[in-house]
Amino acid sequence: MQTVNTLDMLRTALRQLRGDGKLIALVPTMGALHEGHLTLVRRGHEVADCVVASIFVNPKQFGPNEDLNAYPRQLAADAALLEGEGCALLWAPAVEAMYPTGFATNISVAGISDGLCGAARPGHFDGVATVVCKLFQQVQPDVALFGEKDFQQLAVIRAMARDLDLTHPHVGAIIGVPTVREADGLAMSSRNRYLSPDQRVAATGMPRAMQTAIARLDSGADVAAVLAELEAEIIAAGFASVDYAVLADSTSLAPLTILTAAPARLLVAARIGGTRLIDNMAVNPLQA
Ligand code: PAF
């Protein structure tokens, strides 16, 4: 695997890959790789001839009080993991290469970026949309893969790609890959490493409470009552607060007060100690 950190090196390496007529899958990441990221790479190999991964801790998607400086950086270890998965190329630009002096553009996908995590993290999805748009332009992959763990991020990226006509010819398809979970159900996340042993145990209460909520929805329980119980269960498990616990339309992320035949998603964000965890699960639509 070749690692490149300038746009010139990236373009040369991509020309070589494309020269061989290969279909390219892009897996954008911020590093601190875990099994969830490696699953994206494996899926990339199923849908394309070679996988290009990027590692860039994007300052534009961190708020002033967020963990940009503390965010784990472990390029050598991450590169070894990607190489082990057969990645062809790693794009690991410095901040100055991604955002040279004078960089002044912001991409904002209105509406879908505003609620849920967008409400607690103003500007976060602008930062994501801006960097992902740049990554798409830089790599021009045939497909790009993102984890469903960040479900709102995936929806924002799909909307951005649709609105800016990026899905053809540059990024033929944006593929959402199901969340990878630890054996006890906790969704894998680079932020799980911030949890103390006690918090790590308590954190499993979130996916457990979500499964219970989905079973209650399946049995026809009232949506508002189920969401209230879900919040209470998450707090009882040891979380300090719940930012949101919402049933939403899977595409628009508009909140739902009743289940319909359209695909729906249960989305939760909650704080435990200083760590904010998110999770989401598909909800069975109402049967006709
Ligand atoms: O999900 C992430 O790791 C990041 O938000 C992404 C998509 C790589 C953009 O920086």
Side-chain angles (χ1 to χ4, degrees), residues 28-31 37 54 56 58 61 71 124 127-128 131-132 135 146 150 153 157:
T29 82
M30 296 206 302
H37 299 107
S54 65
F56 178 65
N58 174 31
Q61 68 188 77
Y71 200 85
H124 168 70
V128 170
V131 81
V132 171
L135 289 166
F146 297 88
D150 295 299
Q153 165 173 286
I157 291 168

Side-chain angles (χ1 to χ4, degrees), residues 33 37 70 79 104 137 153 181 236:
L33 301 182
H37 299 107
Q137 296 298 337
Q153 165 173 286
R181 295 180 181 279

Side-chain angles (χ1 to χ4, degrees), residues 55-279:
I55 295 182
F56 178 65
V57 183
N58 174 31
K60 289 199 184 297
Q61 68 188 77
F62 288 78
N65 300 320
E66 293 184 350
D67 56 348
L68 172 62
N69 291 331
Y71 200 85
R73 289 161 172 87
Q74 46 178 60
L75 189 62
D78 287 342
L81 287 172
L82 293 169
E83 179 140 40
E85 292 297 332
C87 255
L89 182 62
L90 170 58
W91 169 222
V95 174
E96 306 71 49
M98 188 62 91
Y99 301 121
T101 307
F103 183 88
T105 298
N106 183 55
I107 295 180
S108 186
V109 188
I112 203 157
S113 300
D114 301 335
L116 303 172
C117 287
R121 305 183 70 189
H124 168 70
F125 288 115
D126 288 12
V128 170
T130 303
V131 81
V132 171
C133 183
K134 281 184 66 89
L135 289 166
F136 284 178
Q137 296 298 337
Q138 291 162 347
V139 177
Q140 308 214 341
D142 298 285
V143 297
L145 298 102
F146 297 88
E148 285 186 347
K149 158 83 173 24
D150 295 299
F151 201 76
Q152 187 177 12
Q153 165 173 286
L154 179 59
V156 168
I157 291 168
R158 285 193 202 281
M160 184 263 301
R162 178 203 62 208
D163 290 353
L164 298 182
D165 304 318
L166 297 181
T167 44
H168 184 79
H170 304 323
V171 186
I174 293 172
I175 297 178
V177 177
T179 303
V180 180
R181 295 180 181 279
E182 304 285 357
D184 59 13
L186 185 66
M188 286 195 187
S189 163
S190 308
R191 293 197 164 107
N192 291 351
R193 68 184 66 195
Y194 300 147
L195 301 172
S196 70
D198 284 352
Q199 290 166 350
R200 173 66 188 77
V201 172
T204 61
M206 185 154 90
R208 224 178 10 257
M210 293 172 74
Q211 294 286 8
T212 306
I214 289 170
R216 300 259 297 118
L217 291 169
D218 272 350
S219 66
D222 173 66
V223 171
V226 169
L227 295 178
E229 286 160 15
L230 172 59
E231 283 200 30
E233 257 191 70
I234 291 172
I235 296 295
F239 282 76
S241 60
V242 177
D243 276 7
Y244 60 78
V246 175
L247 181 71
D249 177 272
S250 286
T251 310
S252 68
L253 299 189
L256 298 173
T257 50
I258 51 165
L259 264 186
T260 68
R265 206 89 188 171
L266 186 63
L267 300 116
V268 174
R271 292 176 197 264
I272 184 160
T275 308
R276 184 175 182 275
L277 297 181
I278 59 172
D279 201 348

